[in-house]
Amino acid sequence: MMTVHEVSKISGVSIRALHHYDNIGLLPATEVTDAGYRLYDETALERLQHILLFKELEFPLKDIKNILDSPDFDRSKALEQQIHLLELRKQHLENLIDLARGIKMIGVKPMSFEAFDTRKIDEYAAQAKASWGKTDAYKEYEKKSEGRSKETQQKLNVEMMSIFAEFGEIKGLSPDSKDAVALAKKLQDHITEHYYTCTDEILLGLGTMYAGGGELTTNIDKVGGEGTAVFACEAIKAMIALK
């Protein structure tokens, strides 16, 4: 058994945070001594590792608790995601180190910012987060899509992509133009009406995925032309900034 001070020391989580996790039922102490000291066993430490993983994926503490308490929680899947996310961050750091060494040796020419690109990390984190879908948004999506026919779902998907086609038609404009901002709002309203309540925070996260350089970016650029996904992302940011 370890004391809260020892757990704090090995995990980097503050004592205050550990007390908070206990109070909200996220990480209950295994045992509390007569003197009121919290003690944690190996099972609790393993749970803490998973908590920190989901915090890396930017889950709210409430959602983390629901995931870990669910009988469907897959420990192996969570560890695989943690390993992959760490590997991506390791590669990112190695790229930055190589860039710094190159600048030291030969200067800053040719100018390159590729090593600072975190899109792969951001995209994977977003995908991993989505895979644990028992969030309020996911539950709302399940409810709205219940009983929906394949044809109706396909029709909604086509309508969604048609919005991106519209983005492609105006991508020569500024992202904060009236037309671009209106399209971003149209996209947000479409998601809210047919899938789940698309808050500004969720929309920003989606925008990051749209422009992340993966399969989603490719599909959007197919209907709107190269650069459409990035333009849509910037229009989303502009729309929210103008509120």
Side-chain angles (χ1 to χ4, degrees), residues 182-206:
L183 266 184
K185 184 64 169 62
K186 181 178 179 179
L187 176 64
Q188 186 178 36
D189 291 344
H190 179 83
I191 295 171
T192 295
E193 181 179 357
H194 300 292
Y195 298 98
Y196 48 79
T197 301
C198 186
T199 64
D200 289 349
E201 181 182 4
I202 290 176
L203 189 62
L204 278 173
L206 291 173

Side-chain angles (χ1 to χ4, degrees), residues 90-103 115:
K90 176 186 175 184
Q91 183 62 55
H92 176 62
L93 288 173
E94 288 176 347
N95 290 341
L96 287 174
I97 291 170
D98 289 342
L99 175 65
R101 285 174 175 164
I103 291 174

